[in-house]
Every structure is written in C-alpha cells, then in structure tokens.
Amino acid sequence: MSDIVRIGDATLYHADCRDVLPTTDALGGLVTDPPFNVGKDYGVHNDSMPEPEYLAWIGDILKMCARITSQQWVVVPTSKLRLFWEMLPTAELVIVPMSAGYAVRSGWTQKWAGLLVAGNPPKNPWNLWDGIRHRGEGYFFREETYGHPGYTPQAIMTRAVKTSALDSILDPFMGTGTSGVAAIENGCKFVGIEINRKYFDIACERIERAYAQGKLFQPEPAKPEQQEIAA
C-alpha cells in the first residue's frame, strides 16, 4: 500500500511515480531534480542501473510528465547534459554559476550547474542565474539538506517555479519537498511523489510548515489529511 497526504493545495504521494503519473490530471509544469544513475544511496531507488536500463526508465518517466505538463524544468548535471538533451531536444539550457566552489566531474573542474527547460515560459527569462549558492560552496551554502544525497538548493527550485509563471507544479522525484515548498510559497498547487518513506515524511513536514508560515494567504495552517491507495 502507498499513502496520499493532502496539505492545502498540495497532494503528496508516497509511491513509485510510475504508478501515479498515468492517472494524474494535467498540471502546469514539471520542476524536478531526478536521480542520475551515479551511485548515490537513495535507500530505495537503485542509482546504479545498467545505462540502457536507466535511460529507458528515466525516458519513460519524462514522457509521462510531458504528456500532462506544458513546461518541463529539469535540473541536470553537466555530465548527463547530453543524455537529457536527447530526451528533451527542444529544451533551452539555463546556467547557474558557482561563485565560490566547484565540482570535479569526468576530469573537468566544473563551475556551474544547469537546468533544461522545455516549453515556453513567458517574459523572455534570462538563461543565466547568478547569485545562487550550491552545495559545493562549503561555508557559503547554509541550507539544511535533510540528509538527502541529491538535495537541490531552494533558490533553484524557487526561481524555476517563479519563472514558469504557472499555477500548478509537479515533481515525481520530490525528495524532501524543496520543489513543494517553492510551489507553496509562490501560491501554486503542487503534486509531489516520493518513493522513500523517510524523505516523504520530511517533505510533508516541510510543506505543512510552509503553510503554517502563512505563505499561501490562509488564515490558519492547513492540516494534513492522509489516506491509503492501492499499490
């Protein structure tokens, strides 16, 4: 069995996204940072698949998401950029520079992270996002990562949600709920899916807290409602 938790305009699924996406109604945009098959320990998901298996897996999920969203915002490391661009061939690249740190990948010292954006956000947005701190910037990165090995900075998710200018957001790899907090703080409906129970519970707590802080124009915090769904 899996769970559904509803907190205000957020609907959160503790489930495999492949089981939920086929029955999900149309939403505005996808904002996500998926697993990249680089051997991270997510507890439940296997992040060390054979490459063809991984490409088929993530490709199917992106296709399901594209069918129900008008924009797709996907955080992608430079080492996987070519693979994801093949799956999102019309996407624009957004570059997020690292001011103080760096990452060493595939023999290169990398000073930026990227997002691929498919669809047409309004207002001719910039494709260079300065002023965002990354996990690799040590002292300068002050965010709580909640023990998640693939934590994405809140500022990246928030800027993606704001720039999309959409009223509803989907994240099939919700993790600890960073995209959900960004959606709630910007007045959007949110659908999040997470397979790991520990991270799912953290996401529920963070999103409930975002409501409790009064970000969505509600007089009182939204109380979570939980129910079970068949696996």
Side-chain angles (χ1 to χ4, degrees), residues 173-189:
F173 303 106
M174 176 176 63
T176 58
T178 305
S179 56
V181 171
I184 298 313
E185 290 183 342
N186 285 280
C188 299
K189 296 180 181 179

Side-chain angles (χ1 to χ4, degrees), residues 210-223:
Y211 271 105
Q213 290 170 350
K215 298 293 185 180
L216 197 59
F217 315 111
Q218 293 189 5
E220 295 182 358
K223 298 300 183 181

Side-chain angles (χ1 to χ4, degrees), residues 133-150:
R133 293 299 187 185
H134 299 255
R135 288 188 71 176
E137 294 186 300
Y139 168 84
F140 297 98
F141 184 76
R142 299 300 187 91
E143 287 184 43
E144 171 62 62
T145 64
Y146 302 94
H148 193 285

Side-chain angles (χ1 to χ4, degrees), residues 9-12 29-34 73-75 115 143 146 148 150-162 164 166-194 199 202-204 206-207 210-211:
D9 284 331
T11 302
L12 314 178
L30 168 73
V31 176
T32 192
D33 183 356
W73 297 70
V74 183
V75 177
L115 294 89
E143 287 184 43
Y146 302 94
H148 193 285
Y151 181 85
T152 306
Q154 181 74 56
I156 290 179
M157 292 306 201
T158 295
R159 187 153 180 179
V161 169
K162 284 184 176 180
S164 76
L166 297 168
D167 62 3
S168 56
I169 299 296
L170 166 69
D171 189 348
F173 303 106
M174 176 176 63
T176 58
T178 305
S179 56
V181 171
I184 298 313
E185 290 183 342
N186 285 280
C188 299
K189 296 180 181 179
F190 179 70
V191 173
I193 310 167
E194 174 55 42
Y199 301 142
I202 293 171
C204 291
R206 292 182 68 195
I207 289 169
Y211 271 105

Side-chain angles (χ1 to χ4, degrees), residues 87-101:
M87 291 182 278
L88 298 166
T90 64
E92 175 74 19
L93 174 63
V94 174
I95 292 175
V96 188
M98 299 179 73
S99 300

Side-chain angles (χ1 to χ4, degrees), residues 18 24 42 55 59 80 162 168 216:
R18 294 171 297 178
T24 301
Y42 290 105
L55 291 176
K80 298 292 182 178
K162 284 184 176 180
S168 56
L216 197 59

